[in-house]
Amino acid sequence: MSEALVDQEINLESIPIDDIDFSDLEREYNVDLDVNFDNFVVVDGAPIAPETKVPVLTKVLTKLFSQAGKVVDINLPLDEEKKTTKGYLFVEFDSAAAAQKAIKLLNGKKLDVKHRLFVNTLNDLERYGTETFSNEFQEPKLPEFQSTNYLKSWLQDEQGRDQFVLQKGDMTGIFWNRNTQQPDNVVEPRKNWSNSTVKFSSKGTYLFSYHDQGVASWGGKNFERLKRFFHPDTKALAVSPTEKYLVTLSPQPISIPEHAPEDFPFGPDSVGHQLAIWDIAMGVCVKTFALPPGQRLHWPMVKWSYDDRYCARLGPNALAVYDTENNFELVSGKILKIEGIMDFSFAPAGVKLAVNRNNELSSVLAYWTPESNNQSCKATIMEIPTRRVLRTVNLVQVSDVSLHWQDQAEYLCVKVDRHTKSGKTIFTNLEIAKLTEKDVPVEKVEMKDHGFSFGWEPKGDRFITISITETAEDNPAIPKNVVTFYAPERKDKTKQADDDAKNWKAFATVDGKFSNTISWSPAGRFVVVATLVTPDNRKADFDFYDFDFPGEKNLNTVDDVCASLKDVAHPDYFSATDMKWDPSGRFVAVWSSAVKHKLDNGYKVYNIGGETVREEMIEGFKNFVWRPRPESLLTNGEKKKVRKNLREWSAQFDEQDAMQADSAMRELILQRRSTLEEWNEYREATADIMESDYNYVTFDTTVVSISDEDYEIVEEIKEEILEEKQEEVLSFETADEN
Amino acid sequence: MRPIMLKGHERSLTQVKFNREGDLIFSCAKDSVASVWYSINGERLGTLEGHQGTIWSIDVDKYTQYAVTGSADFSIKLWRVQDGTNVFTWKTKTPVRRVEFSPDGDRILAVLDGVMGYPGSVTVYKIERDSATGEVLNIEEEPVFDILTREGFDIASVASWSFGGNFIAVGHKDGKVSKYEGNTGEYLDSLELHTQNVSDIQFSPDGTYFITSSRDSVSNLVDVVTFDVLKTYEADCPLNSACITPLKQFVILGGGQDAKDVTTTSSREGKFEARFYHKIFQDEIGRVKGHFGPLNYVAVSPQGTSYASGGEDGFVRLHHFDKSYFDFKYDVEKSAEAQKLMQAQGSAAS
């Protein structure tokens, strides 16, 4: 019977599966689906302990791993022969998240001098163990070098024109500024170039646009796309001072997709981070940061030293300073603990400290801490990376502090808003530190009222404040702002040489204003104090001032200061919401952005005299961006020479302007130019002929050498009698007596 | 620009000249007495007395040692400038219209009128001078050569030496301008430049090109070697004189309605003004008025710092130029200079 059964061919299909009872098998091989390998970690490098010590070790390790989450089970396999643990163990957590945390927290953790724990997921271990996993080093693929156009080509413009961006609706265009002329396209305006605004890098080399997927950089003559920075939903970006690094911030924490493309910029370390730093030229992410918890967002969140060597972030009660040349590691390996630190800023330029030798430049930062139980409010100036405190300024009764660097970092103004003892009124002190002088002396300038805006003259030592006068009147229609102009006292040369201290003096005030913005020309001297449209202000106005007015009638109320103020112009543009000087300091653009309100949108460009050189009203106009320029390469001496010769050199530029303004003029000028050239050629040709044919040298003016002997100076003395009087003297007696 | 009035002549001025240094002015008039003036203040240095008729022309040599005058009394007189003595007199067949020293001062050309059967000529006399001191050693009474008026030409009215005395440019009554070899008097070339009398020919400082003026209200700039017309300046009145300013690229034209025509032809103002034209761009750039008769002669100092005009009214008006005159430049000139300057400084820097 059994043989017959074996011989008989079994037709598998014909067996009715449903009839078979598998329940015993199912029971036997049942796998508990709740056991998720994601919850396990494999720990390597644990001490090898005798069997007797296992409970103690288990207890220690359980405690250690409990930091990451609830430990469900911990298993230390034993070597049957040696009766010791094998040096590895399995830990089961209640969740995959806890397991991940354990890896993050404890991988590489030193248990003691001899033992370092290596923590991996079970999944990883399986993967590493498979045959397909290659443990040979794979060289990372280097992306092929892609050449770009010359990125600074716009600086080679023969006429030295500046570029600007206009944005309206979803169109973005880049133009050449042609003074009063219709601006020329640099490139055809593009639709949806950026989701929101566009931003130039600090020296104008790159243009950045926002996209759903991140940020893109553009540059070169035709603004080709250079690099993409994949950081979805980027809300803000900032560029470091030397255009080396880009900082992006996105509200979405970084996550790594299942099948990340090869060029995915973030590594597993970055998961959950929101802040990313990129190398602009290479387009790769160099560092990511998580946002410190519970801190209000204060852009820029990463600040840079002037040379991009260091960057720093504010943390709770601490400042983290990173060295960019050392893989963004913390300087000296640890963060800087500063209790209660409120704000900090780097000097915008290298500081030539008095103690520095060989004209070295130092990176300097300043921060302030508020009053605490046993500490007064302090502003501190510190050198980086040495952490040497250069100066501390103690302050009392402080409600707020702001730090204002002069652009060459020669001065730092600490604006201190102080309250009276009653706390009712606020007034402002300015503590001005002179960075380049020995021991960093600080001078105090007291203001009578609450200054809310402060502006240093670029490359200068003068400044402007806007303050608000305290009055009983609460009516917002009454202008209460006071614009005050300060300049250093003119030093008397006759005074002793050691009296080197600069004393700043308020030398002019303009009150009864709504002004809220100070905008200095990047070249200094000229400044626009403006009222821009804000939620509180409906009507914009602009006041142009000249700080070195050569004439007699100035606004100075004090004479012995290094300034002569004159209000140059007060042009009208009531709906203006923003303003910006062009990088050369020749023009000011003011515009009314549709993003802020829908009134008279468009832009105007003024020259430094406050005259409108160009205006365009554009519906839906959004944004005006000047393209920045790098620092001039000319030395101060060369600049001085240019200034000295400007009158002579400027003739040709005037002519260019005239030619552009009028085509008839252009014809005339071109014709005259060729006429002049013909004449000069004729004279040269004549000179040649004369010399070769007649041995005669041509000239244009007879020059006669005159010696002193040729002249005789005749002096004539004229005597004139103005009055003749005759007096009769009666006696000489008195004279005799004496 | 305040003029200095040189009052000393009793009748209309015929010619005014600066010496080479520009410190003296020589003037002659129809009153038969020539005058020498200090240009700095307009004081008269002295007079040259001896002619018996209108002195049509005066010239001074480059050393300011000798002056020459040509008169309607059929004579040419050579004077020592230092003391005003008459050194020599040439008798001529007809009145003398124009005299001029050659640039090196050893020859004198004279334009002799074509009257009384004489065809008119440009006659050249020779003076032997000490090459070191310039002192006259010997004077030849007979001319070296005569350029008699040629067939087809009207008589000469003006003539002038070119650079080095190589050529003589002659202006004719009929408007023609002709050119002769300076050493032989050989005819070289001619141009039908004007429609009326050529009233003046003055050379550029280096003597390579000259300006003509004519009663037809036009003035021309002509290269003496090629005899090409370089520029043309059109005025609105008959011109008596024209000169080329050194230092600045201008020309000065002088003229005006003939005094005798004012009453008969036009009641408009006589246009008795010195006109400044830009030599290269040919635009009128300014006028100086003051004379109350036509300007018979305009002259500019060789340094280009002052100019004098002699009028039918009997006055010489001497003008020292203002700063604005020296500063005036066309934008294209300024920009060309600026470019040159920048290049020069650029190359100096590198």
Side-chain angles (χ1 to χ4, degrees), chain B residues 94-113:
Chain B
T94 52
V96 184
R97 283 289 178 176
R98 201 39 90 91
V99 287
E100 192 178 294
F101 278 110
S102 63
D104 48 10
D106 57 2
R107 282 174 293 168
I108 295 169
L109 69 74
V111 177
L112 304 183
D113 223 344

Side-chain angles (χ1 to χ4, degrees), chain B residues 63-112:
Chain B
Y63 311 106
T64 323
Q65 266 185 337
Y66 295 96
V68 65
T69 52
S71 164
D73 66 0
F74 296 65
S75 71
I76 300 165
K77 282 182 189 293
L78 190 69
W79 312 81
R80 185 175 284 116
V81 175
Q82 210 163 15
D83 52 12
T85 53
N86 184 1
V87 178
F88 190 78
T89 304
W90 288 276
K91 284 283 165 198
T92 57
K93 297 189 183 81
T94 52
V96 184
R97 283 289 178 176
R98 201 39 90 91
V99 287
E100 192 178 294
F101 278 110
S102 63
D104 48 10
D106 57 2
R107 282 174 293 168
I108 295 169
L109 69 74
V111 177
L112 304 183

Side-chain angles (χ1 to χ4, degrees), chain A residues 652 655 682-683 696 698 701, chain B residues 206 209 223 247 332 339 342:
Chain A
Q652 53 183 320
E655 188 183 87
Y682 158 71
R683 286 299 291 166
Y696 180 77
T698 58
T701 307
Chain B
D206 63 353
Y209 59 99
D223 182 84
L247 200 66
V332 282
Q339 266 171 10
M342 275 171 80

Side-chain angles (χ1 to χ4, degrees), chain A residues 321-425:
Chain A
V321 185
Y322 304 90
D323 186 345
T324 61
E325 283 173 23
N326 185 18
N327 264 331
F328 284 85
E329 292 290 327
L330 282 166
V331 169
S332 348
K334 51 182 191 269
I335 58 170
L336 202 56
K337 284 267 179 217
I338 301 164
E339 199 61 40
I341 182 169
M342 294 295 281
D343 194 13
F344 79 103
S345 63
F346 271 106
V351 182
K352 209 160 82 187
L353 294 171
V355 291
N356 284 4
R357 290 209 188 106
N358 307 333
N359 290 341
E360 263 177 82
L361 295 177
S362 298
S363 293
V364 171
L365 62 77
Y367 62 86
W368 73 280
T369 49
E371 230 159 321
S372 62
N373 290 340
N374 47 9
Q375 290 265 317
S376 66
C377 174
K378 269 197 270 189
T380 309
I381 303 171
M382 181 185 272
E383 191 188 26
I384 295 292
T386 57
R387 302 188 177 190
R388 183 169 49 162
V389 172
L390 301 172
R391 178 75 200 216
T392 309
V393 188
N394 287 313
L395 310 161
V396 284
Q397 291 174 349
V398 173
S399 21
D400 198 11
V401 171
S402 58
L403 306 165
H404 302 271
W405 287 96
Q406 187 246 15
D407 71 330
Q408 292 172 320
E410 281 177 34
Y411 309 105
L412 167 70
C413 173
V414 182
K415 185 172 78 71
V416 189
D417 295 339
R418 300 178 61 193
H419 50 80
T420 51
K421 282 225 169 90
S422 63
K424 269 181 192 159
T425 52

Side-chain angles (χ1 to χ4, degrees), chain A residues 411 457 460-463 486-491 501-505 507 560-563:
Chain A
Y411 309 105
E457 176 185 24
D461 49 14
R462 302 175 286 196
F463 58 87
Y486 292 86
E489 227 172 14
R490 189 181 295 139
K491 261 174 278 170
K502 271 204 167 83
N503 290 306
W504 276 274
K505 261 190 176 177
F507 68 95
D560 52 347
V561 290
C562 303

Side-chain angles (χ1 to χ4, degrees), chain B residues 29 37 59 78 138 184 186 195 214 268 299 340 348:
Chain B
W37 317 76
D59 195 26
L78 190 69
N138 185 28
T184 60
E186 185 194 339
T195 55
S214 164
R268 281 173 302 148
K340 216 183 270 174

Side-chain angles (χ1 to χ4, degrees), chain B residues 47-67:
Chain B
T47 53
L48 307 173
E49 290 175 36
H51 279 296
Q52 267 119 46
T54 297
I55 304 175
W56 284 116
S57 180
I58 190 166
D59 195 26
V60 57
D61 68 1
K62 68 169 179 176
Y63 311 106
T64 323
Q65 266 185 337
Y66 295 96

